[in-house]
Amino acid sequence: MWLYVVRQPRPDAPNWTGRRWAAAVDAVVWPLLWVFWIRQIPGPAGLVGPLLSAMAILCGLMRLHRALRENHRYWFTTWRWARVAFLVLLFGGALKLMMSV
């Protein structure tokens, strides 16, 4: 038996002044960081390094299009990963506090 579940589409992102430009910066910076990290691989990366770099650039262009033209559908990556980093730091701080007691 197959169970087919349809998810509701995400609501439109809230609109505020400067959101389009902030989204454009967010859309470009993350793929550029990936390219930077790929280029830091010690030793020869063969075909994998340039392929991953090209995929990151293509992803960045698609994200930039969404950030500029379909801004109501763009969600910030920085905000998403900042929440994850904050939770990890909070958990680590709680562990450190528990170890010192």
Side-chain angles (χ1 to χ4, degrees):
M1 171 191 241
W2 288 92
L3 181 63
Y4 187 65
V5 178
V6 178
R7 292 190 306 168
Q8 294 293 329
R10 276 180 100 168
D12 289 348
N15 194 7
W16 39 272
T17 306
R19 185 182 197 286
R20 186 175 309 273
W21 293 108
V25 169
D26 184 70
V28 170
V29 166
W30 282 97
L32 286 179
L33 283 174
W34 276 101
V35 170
F36 176 73
W37 289 328
I38 292 167
R39 303 220 6 119
Q40 297 301 316
I41 295 174
L47 290 176
V48 175
L51 178 69
L52 289 177
S53 296
M55 288 175 56
I57 291 171
L58 181 63
C59 179
L61 290 173
M62 291 188 311
R63 289 167 49 92
L64 183 62
H65 175 266
R66 189 178 319 123
L68 293 176
R69 300 283 182 201
E70 302 171 4
N71 193 264
H72 61 283
R73 291 289 178 207
Y74 186 81
W75 294 89
F76 286 91
T77 304
T78 303
W79 175 245
R80 176 183 176 185
W81 289 108
R83 284 187 293 179
V84 171
F86 176 74
L87 289 175
V88 168
L89 287 173
L90 187 66
F91 184 72
L95 284 176
K96 188 172 185 176
L97 183 66
M98 296 303 289
M99 293 296 284
S100 66
V101 172

